[in-house]
Coordinates of all heavy atoms in Angstrom, one line a residue:
M30 N 21.4 7.6 -32.1 CA 20.6 6.8 -31.3 C 19.3 7.5 -31.0 O 19.3 8.7 -30.7 CB 21.3 6.4 -30.0 CG 20.4 5.5 -29.1 SD 21.4 4.9 -27.7 CE 20.3 5.6 -26.4
L31 N 18.2 6.8 -31.2 CA 16.9 7.4 -30.8 C 16.7 7.6 -29.3 O 17.2 6.7 -28.5 CB 15.7 6.6 -31.2 CG 15.6 6.5 -32.8 CD1 14.5 5.5 -33.2 CD2 15.3 7.8 -33.4
M32 N 16.2 8.7 -28.8 CA 16.0 8.9 -27.4 C 14.5 8.7 -27.1 O 13.7 9.1 -27.8 CB 16.3 10.4 -27.1 CG 17.9 10.6 -27.3 SD 19.1 9.5 -26.6 CE 18.8 9.8 -24.9
P33 N 14.4 7.9 -26.0 CA 12.9 7.6 -25.6 C 12.2 8.9 -25.1 O 12.9 9.8 -24.5 CB 13.1 6.6 -24.6 CG 14.4 6.7 -24.0 CD 15.3 7.3 -25.1
D34 N 10.9 8.8 -25.2 CA 10.1 10.0 -24.5 C 10.5 9.9 -23.0 O 10.6 8.9 -22.4 CB 8.7 9.6 -24.6 CG 7.8 10.6 -24.0 OD1 7.7 11.7 -24.4 OD2 7.1 10.1 -23.0
L35 N 10.6 11.1 -22.5 CA 11.1 11.3 -21.2 C 10.1 10.6 -20.1 O 10.4 10.0 -19.1 CB 11.4 12.7 -20.8 CG 12.6 13.2 -21.5 CD1 12.7 14.8 -21.2 CD2 13.9 12.5 -21.1
R36 N 8.8 11.0 -20.3 CA 7.8 10.4 -19.5 C 7.8 8.9 -19.5 O 7.6 8.3 -18.5 CB 6.4 11.0 -19.9 CG 6.2 12.4 -19.4 CD 4.9 12.9 -19.6 NE 4.8 14.3 -19.3 CZ 3.8 15.1 -19.8 NH1 2.9 14.7 -20.5 NH2 3.9 16.3 -19.4
T37 N 7.9 8.3 -20.7 CA 8.0 6.8 -20.8 C 9.2 6.3 -20.1 O 9.0 5.3 -19.4 CB 8.0 6.4 -22.3 OG1 6.8 7.0 -23.0 CG2 8.0 4.9 -22.5
A38 N 10.3 6.9 -20.3 CA 11.5 6.5 -19.5 C 11.4 6.6 -18.0 O 11.7 5.6 -17.3 CB 12.7 7.3 -20.0
A39 N 10.8 7.6 -17.5 CA 10.5 7.8 -16.1 C 9.6 6.8 -15.6 O 9.9 6.2 -14.5 CB 9.9 9.2 -15.8
T40 N 8.5 6.4 -16.3 CA 7.6 5.4 -15.9 C 8.2 4.2 -15.8 O 8.0 3.3 -14.9 CB 6.4 5.5 -16.9 OG1 5.7 6.8 -16.8 CG2 5.3 4.4 -16.5
A41 N 9.0 3.7 -17.0 CA 9.6 2.4 -16.9 C 10.6 2.3 -15.8 O 10.8 1.2 -15.2 CB 10.2 2.2 -18.3
L42 N 11.4 3.3 -15.6 CA 12.4 3.3 -14.5 C 11.7 3.1 -13.2 O 12.2 2.4 -12.4 CB 13.2 4.6 -14.5 CG 14.3 4.6 -13.5 CD1 15.4 3.5 -13.6 CD2 15.0 6.0 -13.5
R43 N 10.7 3.9 -12.9 CA 9.8 3.8 -11.7 C 9.3 2.3 -11.5 O 9.5 1.8 -10.4 CB 8.7 4.8 -11.7 CG 8.1 4.9 -10.3 CD 6.9 6.0 -10.3 NE 7.3 7.3 -10.9 CZ 6.9 7.7 -12.0 NH1 6.0 7.1 -12.7 NH2 7.3 8.8 -12.5
A44 N 8.7 1.8 -12.5 CA 8.3 0.4 -12.5 C 9.3 -0.6 -12.2 O 9.1 -1.5 -11.4 CB 7.5 0.1 -13.7
Y45 N 10.4 -0.4 -12.8 CA 11.6 -1.3 -12.6 C 12.1 -1.2 -11.1 O 12.3 -2.2 -10.5 CB 12.8 -0.9 -13.5 CG 14.1 -1.5 -13.2 CD1 14.2 -3.0 -13.5 CD2 15.1 -1.0 -12.5 CE1 15.4 -3.6 -13.3 CE2 16.3 -1.6 -12.2 CZ 16.5 -2.9 -12.6 OH 17.6 -3.4 -12.4
R46 N 12.3 0.0 -10.6 CA 12.7 0.1 -9.2 C 11.7 -0.4 -8.3 O 12.1 -1.0 -7.2 CB 12.9 1.7 -8.9 CG 14.0 2.2 -9.6 CD 15.3 1.7 -9.2 NE 16.5 2.3 -9.8 CZ 17.7 1.8 -10.0 NH1 17.9 0.4 -9.7 NH2 18.6 2.4 -10.6
I47 N 10.4 -0.3 -8.5 CA 9.4 -0.8 -7.5 C 9.5 -2.4 -7.6 O 9.4 -3.1 -6.6 CB 8.0 -0.3 -8.0 CG1 7.8 1.1 -7.6 CG2 6.9 -1.1 -7.3 CD1 6.6 1.8 -8.2
A48 N 9.5 -2.9 -8.9 CA 9.6 -4.4 -9.0 C 10.8 -4.9 -8.3 O 10.9 -6.0 -7.7 CB 9.5 -4.8 -10.5
Q49 N 12.0 -4.2 -8.5 CA 13.2 -4.6 -7.9 C 13.1 -4.7 -6.3 O 13.5 -5.7 -5.7 CB 14.2 -3.6 -8.3 CG 15.7 -3.9 -7.8 CD 16.7 -2.9 -8.2 OE1 16.5 -1.7 -8.2 NE2 17.9 -3.4 -8.8
A50 N 12.5 -3.6 -5.8 CA 12.4 -3.6 -4.3 C 11.4 -4.7 -3.8 O 11.7 -5.3 -2.8 CB 11.8 -2.2 -3.8
R51 N 10.3 -5.0 -4.6 CA 9.4 -6.0 -4.2 C 10.1 -7.4 -4.2 O 9.8 -8.2 -3.3 CB 8.2 -6.0 -5.0 CG 7.3 -4.8 -4.7 CD 6.1 -4.8 -5.7 NE 5.2 -3.8 -5.3 CZ 4.2 -3.3 -6.1 NH1 4.0 -3.9 -7.3 NH2 3.4 -2.3 -5.7
L52 N 10.9 -7.6 -5.2 CA 11.7 -8.8 -5.4 C 12.6 -9.0 -4.3 O 12.8 -10.1 -3.7 CB 12.3 -8.9 -6.7 CG 13.1 -10.3 -6.9 CD1 12.1 -11.5 -7.0 CD2 13.8 -10.1 -8.3
L53 N 13.3 -8.0 -3.8 CA 14.3 -8.0 -2.7 C 13.5 -8.4 -1.4 O 14.2 -9.1 -0.6 CB 15.0 -6.7 -2.6 CG 16.1 -6.5 -3.8 CD1 16.7 -5.1 -3.7 CD2 17.2 -7.6 -3.8
R54 N 12.3 -7.8 -1.3 CA 11.6 -8.2 -0.1 C 11.1 -9.7 0.0 O 10.9 -10.1 1.0 CB 10.4 -7.3 0.1 CG 10.9 -5.9 0.7 CD 9.6 -5.1 1.1 NE 8.7 -4.9 0.1 CZ 8.5 -3.9 -0.7 NH1 9.4 -2.8 -0.6 NH2 7.7 -3.7 -1.6
N55 N 10.9 -10.2 -1.2 CA 10.3 -11.5 -1.2 C 10.9 -12.3 -2.4 O 10.2 -12.5 -3.5 CB 8.8 -11.5 -1.4 CG 8.1 -12.8 -1.1 OD1 8.8 -13.9 -1.0 ND2 6.7 -12.8 -1.1
P56 N 12.1 -12.7 -2.4 CA 12.8 -13.3 -3.6 C 12.3 -14.7 -4.0 O 12.5 -15.1 -5.1 CB 14.3 -13.4 -3.1 CG 14.2 -13.3 -1.6 CD 13.1 -12.5 -1.3
A57 N 11.5 -15.4 -3.1 CA 11.1 -16.6 -3.5 C 9.7 -16.6 -4.2 O 9.2 -17.6 -4.7 CB 10.9 -17.6 -2.2
N58 N 9.1 -15.4 -4.4 CA 7.8 -15.3 -4.9 C 8.0 -15.2 -6.5 O 8.5 -14.3 -7.0 CB 7.1 -14.0 -4.5 CG 5.7 -13.8 -4.9 OD1 5.4 -14.2 -6.0 ND2 4.9 -13.2 -4.0
P59 N 7.4 -16.2 -7.2 CA 7.5 -16.3 -8.6 C 6.8 -15.0 -9.3 O 7.3 -14.6 -10.4 CB 6.9 -17.6 -9.1 CG 6.1 -18.0 -7.8 CD 6.6 -17.4 -6.6
L60 N 5.8 -14.6 -8.8 CA 5.0 -13.4 -9.3 C 6.0 -12.2 -9.3 O 6.1 -11.5 -10.3 CB 3.8 -13.2 -8.6 CG 3.1 -11.8 -9.0 CD1 2.6 -12.0 -10.5 CD2 1.8 -11.6 -8.1
R61 N 6.7 -12.0 -8.2 CA 7.5 -10.9 -8.0 C 8.8 -11.0 -9.0 O 9.2 -10.0 -9.6 CB 8.1 -10.7 -6.7 CG 7.0 -10.4 -5.6 CD 6.4 -9.1 -5.8 NE 5.3 -8.8 -4.8 CZ 4.3 -8.1 -5.1 NH1 4.1 -7.7 -6.2 NH2 3.5 -7.9 -4.1
R62 N 9.3 -12.2 -9.2 CA 10.3 -12.5 -10.2 C 9.8 -12.1 -11.6 O 10.6 -11.5 -12.3 CB 10.8 -13.9 -10.1 CG 11.7 -14.4 -11.1 CD 12.9 -13.5 -11.4 NE 13.9 -13.6 -10.4 CZ 15.0 -13.0 -10.3 NH1 15.4 -12.3 -11.4 NH2 15.8 -13.1 -9.3
R63 N 8.7 -12.5 -12.0 CA 8.1 -12.2 -13.3 C 8.0 -10.8 -13.5 O 8.3 -10.3 -14.6 CB 6.9 -13.1 -13.5 CG 6.4 -13.1 -15.0 CD 5.3 -14.1 -15.3 NE 4.2 -13.9 -14.3 CZ 3.8 -14.8 -13.5 NH1 4.5 -15.9 -13.3 NH2 2.7 -14.7 -12.7
Q64 N 7.4 -10.1 -12.5 CA 7.2 -8.7 -12.6 C 8.6 -8.0 -12.8 O 8.7 -7.0 -13.7 CB 6.5 -8.1 -11.4 CG 5.0 -8.5 -11.4 CD 4.3 -8.1 -10.0 OE1 5.0 -8.0 -9.0 NE2 3.1 -7.9 -10.1
Y65 N 9.6 -8.4 -12.1 CA 10.9 -7.8 -12.2 C 11.5 -8.1 -13.5 O 11.9 -7.2 -14.2 CB 11.9 -8.3 -11.2 CG 13.3 -7.9 -11.3 CD1 13.6 -6.6 -11.0 CD2 14.1 -8.8 -11.9 CE1 15.0 -6.3 -11.1 CE2 15.5 -8.4 -12.0 CZ 15.9 -7.1 -11.7 OH 17.1 -6.7 -12.0
D66 N 11.4 -9.3 -14.0 CA 11.9 -9.6 -15.3 C 11.2 -8.8 -16.5 O 11.8 -8.3 -17.4 CB 11.8 -11.1 -15.6 CG 12.7 -11.9 -14.7 OD1 13.7 -11.4 -14.2 OD2 12.4 -13.2 -14.7
D67 N 9.9 -8.6 -16.3 CA 9.2 -7.9 -17.3 C 9.6 -6.4 -17.3 O 9.8 -5.9 -18.4 CB 7.7 -8.0 -17.1 CG 7.1 -9.4 -17.4 OD1 7.7 -10.2 -18.0 OD2 5.9 -9.6 -17.0
T68 N 9.7 -5.8 -16.2 CA 10.0 -4.5 -16.2 C 11.5 -4.1 -16.6 O 11.7 -3.3 -17.2 CB 9.8 -3.9 -14.7 OG1 10.6 -4.5 -13.8 CG2 8.4 -3.8 -14.3
A69 N 12.4 -5.1 -16.2 CA 13.8 -5.1 -16.6 C 13.8 -5.1 -18.1 O 14.5 -4.4 -18.7 CB 14.6 -6.2 -16.0
Y70 N 13.2 -6.1 -18.7 CA 13.1 -6.2 -20.2 C 12.6 -4.9 -20.9 O 13.2 -4.4 -21.8 CB 12.2 -7.4 -20.5 CG 12.2 -7.6 -22.1 CD1 13.1 -8.1 -22.8 CD2 11.0 -7.1 -22.8 CE1 13.0 -8.2 -24.2 CE2 10.9 -7.2 -24.1 CZ 11.9 -7.8 -24.8 OH 11.7 -7.9 -26.3
T71 N 11.6 -4.3 -20.3 CA 11.0 -3.1 -20.9 C 12.0 -2.0 -20.9 O 12.2 -1.3 -21.9 CB 9.6 -2.8 -20.2 OG1 8.8 -3.8 -20.3 CG2 9.1 -1.5 -20.8
L72 N 12.7 -1.9 -19.7 CA 13.6 -0.8 -19.5 C 14.8 -1.1 -20.4 O 15.3 0.0 -21.1 CB 14.1 -0.7 -18.1 CG 15.0 0.4 -17.7 CD1 14.2 1.8 -17.9 CD2 15.3 0.3 -16.3
C73 N 15.2 -2.2 -20.6 CA 16.4 -2.5 -21.5 C 16.0 -2.2 -22.9 O 16.9 -1.6 -23.7 CB 16.8 -4.0 -21.4 SG 17.7 -4.5 -19.9
V74 N 14.8 -2.6 -23.4 CA 14.5 -2.3 -24.7 C 14.3 -0.8 -25.0 O 14.9 -0.3 -26.0 CB 13.1 -3.1 -25.1 CG1 12.6 -2.5 -26.4 CG2 13.3 -4.5 -25.1
L75 N 13.7 -0.1 -24.1 CA 13.5 1.3 -24.2 C 14.9 2.1 -24.2 O 15.0 3.0 -25.0 CB 12.7 1.8 -23.0 CG 12.2 3.3 -23.0 CD1 11.3 3.5 -24.2 CD2 11.5 3.5 -21.7
M76 N 15.8 1.6 -23.5 CA 17.1 2.3 -23.3 C 18.2 1.8 -24.3 O 19.3 2.3 -24.4 CB 17.6 2.3 -21.9 CG 16.6 2.9 -20.9 SD 16.0 4.6 -21.3 CE 17.4 5.6 -21.4
G77 N 17.8 0.7 -24.9 CA 18.8 0.1 -25.9 C 19.9 -0.6 -25.3 O 21.1 -0.6 -25.8
K78 N 19.7 -1.2 -24.1 CA 20.8 -1.8 -23.5 C 20.5 -3.3 -23.1 O 19.3 -3.7 -23.2 CB 21.1 -1.2 -22.0 CG 21.6 0.3 -22.1 CD 22.9 0.3 -22.9 CE 23.3 1.7 -23.1 NZ 24.6 1.9 -23.8
R79 N 21.5 -4.2 -23.0 CA 21.2 -5.6 -22.7 C 21.1 -5.9 -21.1 O 20.6 -7.0 -20.7 CB 22.3 -6.4 -23.3 CG 22.2 -6.4 -24.8 CD 23.3 -7.3 -25.4 NE 23.2 -7.3 -26.8 CZ 23.0 -8.4 -27.5 NH1 23.0 -9.5 -26.9 NH2 22.9 -8.4 -28.8
D80 N 21.6 -5.0 -20.3 CA 21.7 -5.2 -18.9 C 20.8 -4.3 -18.2 O 20.8 -3.0 -18.4 CB 23.2 -5.1 -18.4 CG 23.3 -5.2 -16.9 OD1 23.1 -6.3 -16.5 OD2 23.5 -4.2 -16.2
A81 N 19.9 -4.7 -17.3 CA 18.9 -3.9 -16.6 C 19.6 -2.9 -15.7 O 19.1 -1.7 -15.7 CB 18.0 -4.7 -15.8
T82 N 20.7 -3.2 -15.1 CA 21.4 -2.2 -14.2 C 21.9 -1.0 -15.0 O 21.8 0.1 -14.7 CB 22.5 -2.9 -13.4 OG1 22.0 -4.0 -12.8 CG2 23.2 -2.0 -12.6
E83 N 22.5 -1.4 -16.2 CA 23.0 -0.4 -17.1 C 21.9 0.4 -17.7 O 22.1 1.6 -17.8 CB 23.8 -1.1 -18.2 CG 24.5 -0.1 -19.2 CD 25.3 -0.7 -20.3 OE1 25.4 -2.0 -20.2 OE2 25.8 0.0 -21.1
A84 N 20.8 -0.1 -18.1 CA 19.6 0.5 -18.6 C 19.1 1.5 -17.6 O 18.7 2.7 -17.9 CB 18.6 -0.5 -19.1
A85 N 19.0 1.1 -16.4 CA 18.5 1.9 -15.2 C 19.5 3.1 -15.1 O 19.1 4.3 -14.9 CB 18.3 1.2 -13.9
A86 N 20.7 3.0 -15.2 CA 21.7 4.0 -15.1 C 21.6 4.9 -16.2 O 21.6 6.2 -16.0 CB 23.2 3.4 -14.9
V87 N 21.4 4.5 -17.3 CA 21.2 5.4 -18.6 C 20.0 6.2 -18.4 O 20.0 7.4 -18.7 CB 21.3 4.5 -19.9 CG1 20.9 5.4 -21.0 CG2 22.6 3.9 -20.1
A88 N 18.9 5.6 -18.0 CA 17.6 6.2 -17.8 C 17.8 7.3 -16.8 O 17.3 8.4 -16.9 CB 16.6 5.3 -17.4
E89 N 18.5 7.0 -15.6 CA 18.7 8.1 -14.6 C 19.5 9.2 -15.1 O 19.1 10.3 -14.8 CB 19.3 7.4 -13.4 CG 18.4 6.4 -12.7 CD 19.1 5.6 -11.6 OE1 20.3 5.5 -11.6 OE2 18.3 5.0 -10.8
R90 N 20.5 9.0 -15.9 CA 21.3 10.0 -16.5 C 20.5 10.9 -17.4 O 20.6 12.1 -17.5 CB 22.6 9.4 -17.1 CG 23.6 9.0 -16.2 CD 25.0 8.8 -17.0 NE 24.9 7.9 -17.9 CZ 25.1 6.6 -17.8 NH1 25.4 6.1 -16.6 NH2 25.1 5.7 -18.7
L91 N 19.7 10.2 -18.3 CA 18.9 10.9 -19.2 C 17.9 11.8 -18.5 O 17.6 13.0 -18.9 CB 18.0 10.0 -20.0 CG 17.0 10.5 -21.0 CD1 17.7 11.3 -22.1 CD2 16.1 9.4 -21.6
L92 N 17.2 11.3 -17.4 CA 16.2 12.1 -16.7 C 16.9 13.2 -15.9 O 16.3 14.3 -15.8 CB 15.4 11.2 -15.8 CG 14.6 10.1 -16.5 CD1 13.9 9.2 -15.5 CD2 13.4 10.9 -17.3
A93 N 18.1 13.0 -15.4 CA 18.8 14.0 -14.7 C 19.3 15.2 -15.6 O 19.1 16.3 -15.2 CB 20.0 13.4 -14.0
A94 N 19.7 14.8 -16.8 CA 20.1 15.8 -17.7 C 18.9 16.6 -18.2 O 19.0 17.8 -18.4 CB 20.9 15.2 -19.0
S95 N 17.8 16.0 -18.4 CA 16.6 16.6 -18.8 C 16.1 17.6 -17.8 O 15.7 18.7 -18.1 CB 15.5 15.7 -19.2 OG 14.2 16.3 -19.4
S96 N 16.2 17.2 -16.5 CA 15.8 18.1 -15.5 C 16.7 19.3 -15.3 O 16.2 20.3 -15.1 CB 15.8 17.3 -14.1 OG 15.6 18.1 -13.0
A97 N 18.0 19.1 -15.5 CA 18.9 20.1 -15.5 C 18.7 21.1 -16.6 O 18.7 22.3 -16.4 CB 20.4 19.7 -15.6
D98 N 18.4 20.6 -17.8 CA 18.1 21.4 -18.9 C 16.8 22.3 -18.7 O 16.7 23.4 -19.0 CB 17.9 20.6 -20.2 CG 19.3 20.0 -20.7 OD1 20.3 20.5 -20.3 OD2 19.2 19.2 -21.6
T99 N 15.9 21.6 -18.1 CA 14.6 22.3 -17.8 C 14.8 23.4 -16.9 O 14.2 24.5 -17.1 CB 13.5 21.3 -17.4 OG1 13.3 20.3 -18.3 CG2 12.2 21.9 -17.0
K100 N 15.6 23.2 -15.9 CA 15.8 24.2 -14.9 C 16.5 25.3 -15.5 O 16.3 26.5 -15.2 CB 16.6 23.7 -13.7 CG 15.7 22.8 -12.8 CD 16.5 22.1 -11.7 CE 15.7 21.1 -10.9 NZ 16.5 20.4 -9.9
A101 N 17.5 25.1 -16.3 CA 18.3 26.1 -17.0 C 17.4 27.0 -17.9 O 17.5 28.2 -17.9 CB 19.5 25.5 -17.8
N102 N 16.5 26.3 -18.6 CA 15.6 26.9 -19.5 C 14.7 27.9 -18.7 O 14.4 29.1 -19.2 CB 14.9 26.0 -20.4 CG 15.7 25.4 -21.5 OD1 16.8 26.0 -21.8 ND2 15.3 24.2 -22.0
R103 N 14.2 27.5 -17.7 CA 13.3 28.2 -16.9 C 14.0 29.5 -16.3 O 13.5 30.6 -16.2 CB 12.8 27.5 -15.6 CG 11.6 26.6 -16.1 CD 11.0 26.0 -14.8 NE 10.3 24.8 -15.1 CZ 10.3 23.7 -14.4 NH1 11.0 23.5 -13.3 NH2 9.6 22.7 -14.8
A104 N 15.3 29.3 -15.9 CA 16.1 30.4 -15.3 C 16.3 31.4 -16.4 O 16.2 32.6 -16.2 CB 17.4 29.9 -14.8
R105 N 16.6 30.9 -17.6 CA 16.8 31.9 -18.8 C 15.5 32.7 -19.0 O 15.6 33.8 -19.4 CB 17.2 31.2 -20.0 CG 18.7 31.0 -20.2 CD 19.2 30.5 -21.5 NE 19.9 29.3 -21.2 CZ 19.5 28.1 -21.5 NH1 18.4 28.0 -22.3 NH2 20.2 27.0 -21.2
R106 N 14.4 32.1 -19.0 CA 13.1 32.8 -19.4 C 12.7 33.7 -18.3 O 12.1 34.7 -18.6 CB 12.1 31.7 -19.5 CG 12.1 31.0 -20.8 CD 10.8 30.2 -21.1 NE 10.5 29.3 -20.0 CZ 10.5 28.0 -20.0 NH1 11.0 27.4 -21.0 NH2 10.1 27.3 -18.9
T107 N 13.2 33.5 -17.0 CA 12.7 34.4 -16.0 C 13.6 35.6 -15.8 O 13.2 36.6 -15.1 CB 12.7 33.7 -14.7 OG1 13.9 33.1 -14.3 CG2 11.6 32.6 -14.7
R108 N 14.8 35.6 -16.4 CA 15.6 36.7 -16.4 C 15.1 37.9 -17.2 O 14.5 37.5 -18.3 CB 17.1 36.3 -16.9 CG 17.8 35.5 -16.0 CD 19.2 35.4 -16.6 NE 19.8 34.2 -16.2 CZ 20.5 33.3 -16.9 NH1 20.8 33.7 -18.1 NH2 20.9 32.1 -16.5
T109 N 15.3 39.0 -16.7 CA 14.8 40.2 -17.6 C 15.9 41.0 -17.9 O 17.0 41.1 -17.1 CB 13.8 41.0 -16.7 OG1 14.4 41.5 -15.5 CG2 12.4 40.3 -16.4
T110 N 16.0 41.6 -19.0 CA 17.0 42.4 -19.4 C 16.7 43.9 -19.1 O 15.5 44.3 -19.4 CB 17.3 42.4 -21.0 OG1 16.2 42.5 -21.7 CG2 17.9 40.9 -21.3
I111 N 17.6 44.5 -18.6 CA 17.3 46.1 -18.2 C 18.0 46.8 -19.3 O 19.2 46.7 -19.5 CB 17.8 46.4 -16.8 CG1 17.1 45.5 -15.8 CG2 17.7 47.8 -16.5 CD1 17.6 45.6 -14.5
P112 N 17.3 47.7 -20.0 CA 17.9 48.4 -21.1 C 18.9 49.5 -20.6 O 19.0 49.9 -19.5 CB 16.7 49.1 -21.9 CG 15.6 49.0 -21.1 CD 15.9 47.9 -20.0

């Protein structure tokens, strides 16, 4: 499976979460519904999932794993070997 660019995944996830929160605050607003649907669709396509909740969970796991890898790599680079 192809993995999305991490920045793109983070941006799509952030947009989805913002649209989701706005829709929850004003569920009768058709603009908020359309924004939510658009961001959910984008996240689903990007993550290769049919369900927005599942796509968000996959994106969060991907970003968390990437963050952990980055921290581990930084720790390895900062270690010095003493002869």
Side-chain angles (χ1 to χ4, degrees):
M30 179 174 125
L31 293 175
M32 298 308 294
D34 174 68
L35 294 175
R36 287 185 182 162
T37 304
T40 300
L42 180 61
R43 188 177 314 110
Y45 170 75
R46 292 294 186 207
I47 290 168
Q49 185 181 42
R51 288 178 177 166
L52 180 63
L53 288 172
R54 281 193 301 267
N55 195 353
N58 186 324
L60 174 63
R61 297 296 183 214
R62 168 54 70 178
R63 191 168 52 250
Q64 288 172 334
Y65 172 77
D66 289 344
D67 288 348
T68 59
Y70 175 80
T71 299
L72 188 61
C73 285
V74 169
L75 187 63
M76 301 312 298
K78 299 295 178 186
R79 290 180 178 237
D80 177 69
T82 304
E83 185 180 355
V87 171
E89 287 169 350
R90 284 194 302 271
L91 174 69
L92 295 170
S95 172
S96 177
D98 289 346
T99 300
K100 288 177 186 175
N102 287 338
R103 279 190 202 138
R105 268 189 242 116
R106 284 194 307 254
T107 58
R108 286 188 211 140
T109 56
T110 56
I111 300 174

